[in-house]
Amino acid sequence: MIDTKEIKKIKLTPFTRMSATIYAILGLVSALIMLVILIAVQASGITAQMMPQLTNFNWITGVGIPLIVILPVLSFIGTVAVSFISATLYNLLVPRLGGIKLELEGEDLEKIPVIAFSLITSAIGAIWAFIIGLLMAAFLSPFFSLISSLPIPAEITAELSNSTGTAINGSLVGSVGILVTLLLVIGLPIMAFVFGFIWNALLALLYNYLVTRVAKIKLNFSQLTGSLYELTNIPVMPTALAVALLYALLGLISGILNQNYGEFIINFIWYFIATVIAAKAYNYLAPKIGSVKLNLE
């Protein structure tokens, strides 16, 4: 029997703590893989052949070992900020847009209702795009103001005017700055929402009608009190297979468009390994640092 649950609220602290810890682990694994690659590069002598000026550079101690510290720390700190803000935005938007709905049969995720999933995820993406655009505009605005206030030599303005067919002066530079600011603050969020909605809808559709024929994401929820549930366990292999197949299909579509026909294989391998690590890490960490808690109705 299908049981439809809507995620009404994400408990911020458990979600942020778990997300950041898992990404720190993934960062550590990525750093170890990089270290193995750098050891192979160092031993093969490829550096001496390709870049003779770096012959004496030790890639292991200079890059590989520092990455073992840097990547997990940066992953943890970055994920703390992104997870906390994203979950906060989700909680604020749910009363206005509705939350993500999950159609569950036991522990199997049978279907992801497309519109509900796409609407709120693309809205969060648009807000992030607005924040990034605002920061970029704040950085670029003084630059354009400075350029527009500086005198431009006559020979340069004449040459640019002849090549573009438009009179080049300080006021034009200022107008370009205003246009860039508007594109970053208004255009970028709109594009993020539109393309994010299409991408997320495609993701849900592929999962609902293709991936579930082979494998399904499995989530073990346990009711704590009322509408509060905790995600106690993630069955590793079926979830990893479902996620890997989903992103392999997305990679196949992207690869056809980009004429990169190996992308789906890379996606399958990477997302399978990453999901296995993330799910195992979650199952190990949940009893120790606390599981993710959601209000489901």
Side-chain angles (χ1 to χ4, degrees):
M1 180 178 177
I2 301 295
D3 183 19
T4 301
K5 295 289 188 183
E6 181 179 356
I7 303 175
K8 288 290 189 180
K9 188 176 182 180
I10 301 170
K11 296 297 180 182
L12 298 179
T13 301
F15 176 77
T16 302
R17 183 170 54 224
M18 180 63 77
S19 300
T21 306
I22 288 175
Y23 270 90
I25 292 170
L26 289 172
L28 176 61
V29 172
S30 299
L32 291 173
I33 293 172
M34 285 292 297
L35 178 61
V36 171
I37 293 172
L38 290 172
I39 290 172
V41 169
Q42 188 84 24
S44 66
I46 293 175
T47 304
Q49 299 174 17
M50 303 294 293
M51 294 177 286
Q53 65 274 22
L54 297 177
T55 300
N56 297 323
F57 182 76
N58 191 318
W59 290 97
I60 299 170
T61 57
V63 178
I65 293 176
L67 280 178
I68 292 176
V69 177
I70 293 170
L71 272 183
V73 171
L74 290 181
S75 298
F76 184 88
I77 295 172
T79 306
V80 165
V82 172
S83 297
F84 186 84
I85 295 172
S86 296
T88 301
L89 291 173
Y90 181 91
N91 293 342
L92 292 172
L93 290 172
V94 166
R96 297 164 178 79
L97 302 178
I100 294 173
K101 294 181 175 67
L102 307 173
E103 293 189 8
L104 299 164
E105 185 171 13
E107 64 181 17
D108 292 343
L109 179 58
E110 294 288 342
K111 188 176 181 181
I112 305 171
V114 177
I115 300 300
F117 175 76
S118 303
L119 184 61
I120 194 163
T121 50
S122 57
I124 292 171
I127 294 172
W128 271 112
F130 173 76
I131 294 170
I132 293 169
L134 199 62
L135 293 174
M136 292 177 65
F139 175 77
L140 292 173
S141 181
F143 172 77
F144 280 107
S145 297
L146 177 63
I147 295 297
S148 64
S149 65
L150 293 175
I152 304 175
E155 59 272 16
I156 294 178
T157 57
E159 184 176 345
L160 290 174
S161 299
N162 290 333
S163 61
T164 62
T166 305
I168 303 297
N169 51 46
S171 62
L172 180 61
V173 174
S175 299
V176 171
I178 294 171
L179 178 61
V180 170
T181 299
L182 291 174
L183 288 173
L184 287 172
V185 176
I186 299 174
L188 187 61
I190 292 173
M191 290 179 61
F193 181 84
V194 172
F195 286 105
F197 189 93
I198 294 170
W199 178 261
N200 292 319
L202 178 61
L203 186 148
L205 287 168
L206 288 173
Y207 179 82
N208 293 342
Y209 297 105
L210 291 177
V211 173
T212 52
R213 297 177 183 274
V214 179
K216 295 173 184 176
I217 293 173
K218 293 180 181 288
L219 304 169
N220 285 327
F221 286 106
S222 175
Q223 187 175 15
L224 294 175
T225 175
S227 64
L228 182 62
Y229 288 75
E230 66 172 341
L231 179 59
T232 56
N233 180 269
I234 303 173
V236 177
M237 296 310 293
T239 300
L241 180 58
V243 172
L245 285 172
L246 177 58
Y247 281 94
L249 290 171
L250 290 169
L252 180 62
I253 295 170
S254 175
I256 291 172
L257 294 175
N258 299 326
Q259 296 185 341
N260 179 11
Y261 302 107
E263 186 174 345
F264 76 99
I265 299 174
I266 296 171
N267 275 15
F268 182 87
I269 295 171
W270 165 247
Y271 281 98
F272 184 84
I273 294 172
T275 306
V276 166
I277 294 170
K280 282 184 174 291
Y282 183 93
N283 297 339
Y284 175 79
L285 292 168
K288 295 173 173 58
I289 66 172
S291 57
V292 170
K293 295 175 177 61
L294 308 169
N295 284 106
L296 301 176
E297 294 182 5

